[in-house]
Amino acid sequence: MSVGAMKDQWYPVGLISGVTEEGRDSLLLGEPIRIFLDGGTPAVTGEGERPLPVELRYGHVWTCPGTPTRPLFDIPEADQLGRRLVDVGVCRVRCSPLRAVENFLDIAHFPFVHTDILGSEPHTEVTRYEVGIREDVDEVWATKVQFFQPQAAKSAEGGITTDYMYRVCAPTCSVLYKTSPPMPGEWDVIALFVQPLTETLCDVWPWMALYDDDASMTDLIHFQQLIFVQDRSVLENQLPALLPLDPGMEIPTRADLTSVAYRRWLKRNGFTYGAQLVAA
Amino acid sequence: MQTDWTPVALSHDIPVASAAPGRIGDTALAIWRSASGRIAAWSDRCPHRGMRLSHGYVRGERLSCIYHGWSYGEDGGCKRIPAHPDLTPPESIRVPVFACREASGVVWVAEGQPAGAPPDLAGFRGLRSLHIAAATGAIAEVFGGDGPVLRVKLGPVAVIALVQAFGDETMLHLMAPESCDLATLDALSDAAEALRRNIEAEATA
């Protein structure tokens, strides 16, 4: 196991609204951390009460166990008026944090894992889309992704072809943009912030910035939790548990171009905590 | 009794059009039965993204992965990739298939080319499978013998215990005489659970 370059990246470690005076113990990249209120402000310490850098953004407390090589990524939509910001909460998953992100980037599983919600047979085809690394920001981007969905969001009525864009902005964080059913010209934003506890255990903190004035907060949260619990049944049953970065162990197709780019980007950056490098 | 075959499940635990997990040695198995009743044991791993095929679903004579619906035919070859409905999957996409036979209500699996048929256990039928959190040695001690096929007493009844050893865990597939009535089968089932509790209590003591 090598923490390597991932030590210097940003990770979510809890909801800002959930931090208490007493604090909470957790793990980050296998090392113990503590999240607590210090004079009313969220603070994070590592081993030996070493203070770690803290950012408060997108409803979450962010920290970096090493020295941050770049600022926390920007999600400009978080500041747009008219969006509802949804802290979904946490879902603990016994899987590699990298497998959790890869699953989030995947649309081909919708008809089989999220049956009759995000996809349904016979609408299983994944059409060609575009994937690339945006070198200026060093992020993986997939665009022109389209998929037919029976109920794309809590606010959707009936099936629609949904447009998607995907963005990997940190080794364990991804943001997706999808057609907003009530505002077809705008994108809803759904993010998956993954806290790597160990190489095979993570806390997943979904977060959303939606155009939806009707649904109750509870319903929005339940919808996203339902989707993620369905994903968890897959994520905890993949062999091997670690994400294979070298070709040979798994077989991608054209539908998996985002995952292929994500794996290459991880390897190129030395983001290998939770990954398997040599085909077993 | 020496045999190339390993007992991995009882037939009645794999109904038509279903899949379940099993093991042979260190290899995880997907044991599944097609709509026509054909039994098969495959490596429990979809070659696409490593998802366990034992979580998959059966349609007709094919087993499909629950993750992306890739479906595999009798020979383990991939027949369909739903994300690309017009694509004929290449021959190279293939799930490793193990030799698999059913005899006397037991599913037997072998690695490589097995010599001969699985053991004949005529006069017995499957009772139940039990996972025991104890090394096989502890079970051999209780039964007073070791090997994969043990003829032992459970209470007053002569039963057959098929043993799969996995380090500090054991899988037992118990078989009862065909002549047993329902009440006796219930009593045997209770006795088997009591046996498991005792062995596990001894093992952790």
Side-chain angles (χ1 to χ4, degrees):
Chain A
M1 181 204 76
S2 91
V3 174
M6 280 177 70
K7 198 175 172 65
D8 300 326
Q9 305 297 310
W10 290 99
Y11 302 97
V13 293
L15 292 177
I16 298 169
S17 59
V19 187
T20 61
E21 297 279 349
E22 307 82 72
R24 181 171 62 86
D25 290 313
S26 187
L27 284 174
L28 186 57
L29 303 174
E31 300 290 330
I33 57 165
R34 185 162 181 77
I35 308 109
F36 57 99
L37 284 179
D38 183 14
T41 306
V44 183
T45 52
E47 217 153 12
E49 295 185 19
R50 180 172 65 97
L52 300 181
V54 169
E55 289 281 349
L56 306 177
R57 283 288 275 155
Y58 321 126
H60 290 77
V61 179
W62 297 83
T63 194
C64 169
T67 310
T69 51
R70 57 171 109 178
L72 179 63
F73 53 85
D74 192 24
I75 307 177
E77 294 80 6
D79 302 320
Q80 279 176 354
L81 289 177
R83 288 181 183 269
R84 288 174 73 188
L85 307 182
V86 185
D87 298 344
V88 175
V90 68
C91 188
R92 179 159 293 185
V93 191
R94 277 183 291 107
C95 76
S96 157
L98 308 180
R99 284 226 188 250
V101 170
E102 179 172 271
N103 174 72
F104 186 71
L105 301 173
D106 181 84
I107 54 173
H109 73 283
F110 288 171
F112 304 97
V113 179
H114 310 297
T115 311
D116 295 337
I117 305 173
L118 298 186
S120 64
E121 292 182 276
H123 310 284
T124 55
E125 181 164 15
V126 176
T127 49
R128 197 173 283 279
Y129 56 87
E130 293 180 6
V131 182
I133 310 278
R134 294 199 178 165
E135 299 288 351
D136 54 334
V137 281
D138 195 25
E139 293 186 353
V140 179
W141 275 80
T143 56
K144 300 185 182 168
V145 182
Q146 287 198 321
F147 208 68
F148 178 86
Q149 301 195 315
Q151 188 197 348
K154 189 70 205 160
S155 57
E157 281 179 32
I160 50 170
T161 295
T162 305
D163 293 303
Y164 280 88
M165 292 190 292
Y166 285 91
R167 170 183 175 205
V168 179
C169 35
T172 68
C173 296
S174 178
V175 178
L176 76 78
Y177 301 82
K178 67 190 282 188
T179 315
S180 172
M183 300 263 287
E186 296 288 342
W187 299 94
D188 275 341
V189 172
I190 301 177
L192 199 75
F193 303 144
V194 180
Q195 176 183 355
L197 301 167
T198 72
E199 285 198 283
T200 54
L201 184 70
C202 50
D203 275 347
V204 176
W205 306 89
W207 177 83
M208 306 190 284
L210 309 177
Y211 289 108
D212 184 334
D213 296 328
D214 300 327
S216 74
M217 199 57 113
T218 305
D219 284 349
L220 291 172
I221 290 170
H222 281 177
F223 182 80
Q224 202 54 39
Q225 283 180 338
L226 166 69
I227 297 298
F228 199 77
V229 167
Q230 292 175 333
D231 285 319
R232 183 170 65 179
S233 67
V234 165
L235 288 169
E236 297 195 336
N237 287 290
Q238 283 176 277
L239 301 172
L242 299 177
L243 182 75
L245 290 191
D246 289 325
M249 191 71 189
E250 297 186 350
I251 302 170
T253 73
R254 186 158 46 75
D256 301 311
L257 285 180
T258 318
S259 129
V260 170
Y262 174 56
R263 291 184 186 200
R264 278 198 198 129
W265 178 82
L266 288 173
K267 197 172 173 183
R268 184 176 88 170
N269 281 295
F271 297 148
T272 55
Y273 188 84
Q276 173 176 298
L277 276 167
V278 178
Chain B
M1 187 189 292
Q2 285 303 308
T3 172
D4 288 348
W5 295 92
T6 299
V8 298
L10 296 175
S11 293
H12 67 216
D13 286 333
I14 319 287
V16 162
S18 73
R23 268 176 78 176
I24 183 166
D26 290 331
T27 305
L29 294 177
I31 307 162
W32 68 283
R33 192 184 301 280
S34 73
S36 70
R38 189 179 46 83
I39 194 83
W42 293 0
S43 166
D44 194 10
R45 190 174 177 276
C46 178
H48 176 218
R49 283 290 174 256
M51 178 62 194
R52 286 185 185 271
L53 287 169
S54 56
H55 288 243
Y57 56 93
V58 177
R59 283 181 192 162
E61 301 305 297
R62 292 180 183 176
L63 175 63
S64 298
C65 179
I66 193 65
Y67 198 0
H68 299 93
W70 290 26
S71 61
Y72 299 88
E74 213 167 317
D75 61 350
C78 184
K79 304 297 181 217
R80 187 164 179 272
I81 296 176
H84 306 299
D86 301 328
L87 177 84
T88 303
E91 281 285 318
S92 56
I93 304 180
R94 190 163 285 280
V95 181
V97 172
F98 290 79
C100 184
R101 300 273 181 286
E102 279 186 296
S104 309
V106 178
V107 180
W108 300 87
V109 172
E111 296 184 86
Q113 303 286 334
D120 180 14
L121 307 173
F124 288 82
R125 63 174 170 190
L127 175 65
R128 60 182 292 184
S129 296
L130 282 116
H131 174 265
I132 300 181
T136 304
I139 289 144
E141 217 165 278
V142 172
F143 283 145
D146 58 27
V149 181
L150 299 177
R151 289 176 185 268
V152 296
K153 281 281 183 80
L154 197 57
V157 184
V159 301
I160 294 177
L162 305 173
V163 183
Q164 280 191 279
F166 301 120
D168 51 7
E169 292 171 57
T170 306
M171 197 66 167
L172 270 192
H173 310 282
L174 289 171
M175 303 187 69
E178 266 175 355
S179 57
C180 280
D181 57 19
L182 268 179
T184 310
L185 292 176
D186 278 351
L188 280 175
S189 186
D190 290 347
E193 272 183 38
L195 179 77
R196 165 166 61 189
R197 279 195 298 275
N198 289 342
I199 292 172
E200 289 183 348
E202 288 280 319
T204 54

